[in-house]
Amino acid sequence: MDFELRSAREKLEREQRERKERAKLKLEREKRAKEAAIKQREAIEASQRAKRLDAIEAQIKADEHMQESLIIGGGIVFEQVLQAVSFQGIGDKIKLPTSCFTELSNQGAFDKGPLYFELSVVDHKDNKKTTHSGVLEFTADDGTVGLPPHVWSNLFSTYDPVDVPLVQIRYIRLPKGSYAKLQPDNIGFSDLPNHKAILETILRQHATLSLDDVLSVSYGQVSYKLQVLELKPATSISVLETDIEVDIVSPDIVSDQSNQHVLRPLQFGKSEAGTVEEGGYDYYKFAIDEATVEKVVAGNMKVIVKIDVEKDGADTDLYVSKHPVLFPSLHQHKWSSHDVGSKTLILGSKERALSSGTYSIGVYGFKGTVKYQVSVLVQESSDGAKVGERAISSSSDVDTVECRNCKHSIPSRSIGLHEAYCSRHNVVCNHPGCGIVLRVEEAKNHLHCEKCGQALQPTEMEKHLKVFHEPLTCGCGIVLEKEQMVQHQARDCPLRLIACRFCGDMVEAGNSAADTRDRMRGMSEHESTCGSRTAPCDSCGRSVMLKDMDIHQIAVHGKSS
C-alpha cells in the first residue's frame, strides 16, 4: 500500500514539474516573441524614420542644389546627363542637342550673354573631375554631347578608358578672368619666339579656363602641355572679351630630355659635348648681335659652326636655322652639312640670310651612336687684302699660253715643260660641268652622282644618295627629294609657320585664301580669316576689317595707313 502511495506521489510530482517546465518554456517563448515583435516594430519604425530622414535630406540637398544652380546660373536652371562623343574641334566649345537649345531658350539664357557650362564625369568610381566649356553649336544627336580633344582630355584619362562615358552638364555663369598662372610640363616652351603671343592665340579659341586644366600648345610639329595653376578672380573664369595677365612659371621637375625638343645654349668659343642616337636629334641655340652681323657682312669676320666626331664609324648631319624655325631638320633648315666625319659650316659675307637674332643647331644621328663636340666661333676673315696691305702685282703683262691638258694659263717660255709634266701626272675630269684637274692617283676616287652630278669621294656616295635622293614625305602629304623638300617647307607647305600680318603671331600658313581678292593680295588662309576681324579706324572711329584698313585709309582719308 505504501509503495503504491509513494509511486502515485512521485508521479504527481513529476507531472507537476513537467507542467511547470512547460509553463516556464511557454512564458519564455512568449517573452522572446514579444521581444522579437518589439524589435521588429522598432526596426520598422527606425527604417521608416530613416527613409523619412533620407527623403528630407534628399529634399534639402535638392533644394540646396536647385538654389546653387539658380545662383551660379543667374536664375537659369539647366542640368542634364549626356553620353560623351568626341569630335575633332579646337578650343573648349562643345556640341549640344537641339533639345538643349529649346530648354535654354525658354529660360532666356541667350539674353544673358555667352553660354558657359560646368562638365563633370559621371561614373561608379566617384571621379569628380570637372571642367568648363562654351558651346559651339546645337547639332549633336539626342542624348549625346560632342567634346573637342581639349575638353575630352581634361575629363577622361587615357589610361583608364570608359565604356560609356557619361557627363553631367550644368549651365553656369562665369566671371571674366583677370589673371592666370600656367606651368609647362617641361622646359623648351620659353624658347618659342613670343611664346605669350602664341598662348594668346590659343586662348582665343577658348571660352573658359578652369583650375588644373591642361592646355595643349602646338608650334609646327612640336607640342607643349601647360597646366593651369592659379586663376583670378575665381577657380573658373571666362576668357572672352577680357584682358588677362598671364604668368608662365618654370616646370618643377625637368623630365628626361632624350626625346624632348629642348634648345641648349651655346657660348661663342666654348664647345659642348653630346651623344646622339641614330635617327635622333640634339638641339642647341646661339645668338648673333647686330654688331657681329655688320662685321660679317663687311667681310671682316665669319661665323663658324663646327662639329667634331669620334672616328668610330658613326656619323652625324648638321643643320642650322634662324628663328622662328626652332628645330632644324632634314626637311626644314637654312644651312646644312652632310660631310662624312667632322664638319664645318661657315657663315660669311655672302650669306644674305644672315641677320641678328637667335639661331638653332640640329645635330642628327645619321649612323650609330655618335659622341661629338659642337661649337660656334666668330673669327676674323682672311679673305681679301687688309687695309694698308700692298696689293700683289698682276701678271697680266706676261705672255701666257693655255695648257692643252689642264686649261690653265702658263707662261709661254715654259709651256713645253709644263705640258710634258702635266700630261703624265694630271688628268681632267670629263664629266659635263666639272673639268677639275686631278692627280692621276686621285682620279680613281673622284666620282659623280648619276642623279645630280655632284662630285664625291667613294666613301661619300652612299650617304649622299640616302640624304639627297631618297624620297621624303612632308606632313602635308607631298613627296619630294631633300633639296626640293627644303624649298617646299620654306615657301609652299601649308604647315609652314608664318608671321600673320594682322595678329603678329606665328601660325601655320594653311592653304591659299578662299577669297579671290585675298588670294590676289598674297594672303594665307589664316590671314584671310584673321584679317576679317574689325577694328576702329584711328581717323574716323568707324569699324573696318583689318585687311581693308589700308584701302579705307587711302579711299576715305587720302593717306596711307
Side-chain angles (χ1 to χ4, degrees):
M1 189 69 174
D2 291 337
F3 173 75
E4 293 177 353
L5 289 174
R6 187 169 59 254
S7 297
R9 186 171 58 252
E10 289 175 354
K11 180 180 180 182
L12 179 62
E13 290 174 354
R14 186 170 58 254
E15 290 176 352
Q16 289 176 346
R17 284 196 303 271
E18 290 176 355
R19 284 196 295 270
K20 288 180 180 179
E21 287 294 332
R22 287 195 295 271
K24 184 178 179 181
L25 291 173
K26 182 178 179 182
L27 289 174
E28 290 179 355
R29 286 196 300 270
E30 291 177 351
K31 182 179 180 181
R32 286 197 298 269
K34 186 176 181 181
E35 290 176 352
I38 293 173
K39 288 181 179 180
Q40 184 177 6
R41 184 170 61 253
E42 289 177 349
I44 294 173
E45 291 176 353
S47 175
Q48 293 175 345
R49 185 166 57 252
K51 288 181 179 179
R52 288 195 297 271
L53 290 175
D54 289 343
I56 294 172
E57 185 177 355
Q59 184 62 42
I60 292 173
K61 287 184 177 179
D63 294 340
E64 290 177 350
H65 187 73
M66 177 65 71
Q67 189 66 24
E68 180 186 357
S69 297
L70 285 170
I71 293 174
I72 65 175
I76 296 173
V77 178
F78 172 83
E79 186 172 334
Q80 289 195 14
V81 175
L82 302 173
Q83 181 178 343
V85 177
S86 63
F87 75 95
Q88 292 303 313
I90 58 176
D92 66 345
K93 297 179 177 63
I94 63 176
K95 294 181 180 180
L96 291 172
T98 306
S99 57
C100 296
F101 176 87
T102 304
E103 185 174 345
L104 289 166
S105 179
N106 291 339
Q107 297 187 59
F110 295 96
D111 298 332
K112 294 182 177 292
L115 302 181
Y116 306 107
F117 298 93
E118 178 188 80
L119 285 72
S120 304
V121 176
V122 179
D123 63 14
H124 63 281
K125 298 179 182 179
D126 294 329
N127 184 350
K128 300 300 182 183
K129 181 60 179 174
T130 299
T131 188
H132 296 79
S133 74
V135 61
L136 179 65
E137 54 191 32
F138 293 89
T139 58
D141 295 335
D142 288 339
T144 67
V145 54
L147 304 182
H150 167 78
V151 178
W152 186 281
S153 62
N154 279 292
L155 282 178
F156 301 107
S157 171
T158 56
Y159 303 103
D160 188 17
V162 182
D163 294 334
V164 183
L166 298 178
V167 176
Q168 184 182 51
I169 300 173
R170 182 165 63 163
Y171 175 86
I172 189 173
R173 302 294 300 168
L174 292 178
K176 289 188 175 182
S178 59
Y179 174 81
K181 181 188 290 186
L182 308 177
Q183 183 181 52
D185 60 344
N186 209 326
I187 62 175
F189 180 74
S190 58
D191 289 326
L192 300 181
N194 202 7
H195 53 274
K196 286 196 174 183
I198 295 172
L199 188 58
E200 180 182 344
T201 301
I202 297 298
L203 290 178
R204 288 198 198 110
Q205 303 167 357
H206 288 252
T208 68
L209 273 183
S210 301
L211 195 65
D212 294 330
D213 270 3
V214 175
L215 291 173
S216 294
V217 178
S218 297
Y219 186 86
Q221 297 180 350
V222 184
S223 296
Y224 300 91
K225 294 186 181 298
L226 290 84
Q227 185 175 13
V228 181
L229 297 183
E230 183 180 351
L231 295 171
K232 292 181 182 179
T235 56
S236 301
I237 60 173
S238 166
V239 296
L240 296 178
E241 300 178 356
T242 183
D243 293 328
I244 299 179
E245 178 187 356
V246 178
D247 279 346
I248 300 176
V249 299
S250 300
D252 293 332
I253 300 176
V254 180
S255 63
D256 180 19
Q257 298 180 14
S258 59
N259 294 320
Q260 295 290 330
H261 288 76
V262 177
L263 295 172
R264 286 173 273 184
L266 282 177
Q267 297 180 2
F268 286 116
K270 183 178 179 181
S271 63
E272 291 286 341
T275 302
V276 62
E277 301 287 338
E278 182 175 334
Y281 282 92
D282 282 350
Y283 293 105
Y284 300 86
K285 65 178 178 179
F286 66 94
I288 302 179
D289 57 26
E290 189 63 39
T292 302
V293 171
E294 291 177 359
K295 293 177 181 178
V296 172
V297 173
N300 299 326
M301 302 187 76
K302 56 187 176 182
V303 178
I304 301 174
V305 182
K306 188 176 181 181
I307 289 184
D308 294 318
V309 300
E310 295 183 359
K311 304 295 184 179
D312 59 355
D315 196 13
T316 63
D317 286 332
L318 172 62
Y319 302 103
V320 178
S321 66
K322 188 179 186 300
H323 291 193
V325 178
L326 292 181
F327 305 106
S329 63
L330 176 63
H331 287 198
Q332 196 171 35
H333 60 267
K334 184 62 181 177
W335 302 277
S336 65
S337 175
H338 303 278
D339 296 339
V340 176
S342 298
K343 44 190 66 69
T344 301
L345 275 176
I346 299 177
L347 309 181
S349 58
K350 296 181 180 180
E351 297 293 344
R352 297 182 179 179
L354 194 68
S355 61
S356 61
T358 304
Y359 291 75
S360 294
I361 298 173
V363 182
Y364 175 71
F366 179 79
K367 182 180 180 181
T369 300
V370 190
K371 293 182 178 180
Y372 62 87
Q373 296 276 343
V374 60
S375 60
V376 181
L377 310 172
V378 178
Q379 293 183 353
E380 290 187 0
S381 178
S382 59
D383 299 337
K386 296 181 180 179
V387 176
E389 183 179 347
R390 185 177 178 180
I392 300 175
S393 61
S394 172
S395 61
S396 60
D397 56 341
V398 179
D399 186 19
T400 60
V401 180
E402 184 182 86
C403 174
R404 287 172 294 181
N405 185 51
C406 66
K407 309 302 180 183
H408 288 174
S409 295
I410 307 299
S412 58
R413 64 177 180 271
S414 59
I415 186 63
L417 290 174
H418 171 82
E419 286 187 340
Y421 179 87
C422 186
S423 60
R424 290 197 306 270
H425 296 87
N426 299 331
V427 295
V428 179
C429 178
N430 295 321
H431 189 276
C434 182
I436 189 172
V437 180
L438 301 163
R439 302 287 292 180
V440 173
E441 60 271 17
E442 295 174 349
K444 61 182 180 180
N445 292 326
H446 180 76
L447 305 175
H448 285 270
C449 174
E450 296 180 355
K451 294 187 175 183
C452 65
Q454 183 174 336
L456 300 163
Q457 295 288 323
T459 56
E460 299 173 331
M461 183 62 72
E462 180 182 358
K463 182 175 182 179
H464 172 82
L465 292 174
K466 182 176 180 62
V467 171
F468 287 90
H469 298 300
E470 278 195 358
L472 304 173
T473 302
C474 179
C476 67
I478 194 171
V479 179
L480 297 169
E481 290 187 355
K482 186 249 186 186
E483 293 297 327
Q484 292 79 17
M485 180 63 73
V486 172
Q487 296 298 322
H488 165 74
Q489 293 207 345
R491 300 176 182 176
D492 306 320
C493 181
L495 302 180
R496 73 188 188 280
L497 297 177
I498 62 170
C500 175
R501 68 183 77 179
F502 302 113
C503 65
D505 296 342
M506 298 303 302
V507 297
E508 290 184 355
N511 298 314
S512 299
D515 186 88
T516 304
R517 189 182 66 165
D518 293 346
R519 194 161 55 247
M520 293 177 63
R521 296 164 71 181
M523 294 185 190
S524 66
E525 186 178 23
H526 167 85
E527 289 175 324
S528 178
T529 303
C530 187
S532 298
R533 295 182 292 117
T534 60
C537 172
D538 294 336
S539 301
C540 63
R542 179 182 175 185
S543 293
V544 182
M545 285 195 295
L546 294 175
K547 61 185 178 184
D548 293 336
M549 189 65 74
D550 53 349
I551 299 175
H552 171 80
Q553 290 284 353
I554 296 172
V556 177
H557 303 291
K559 59 182 180 180
S560 178
S561 57

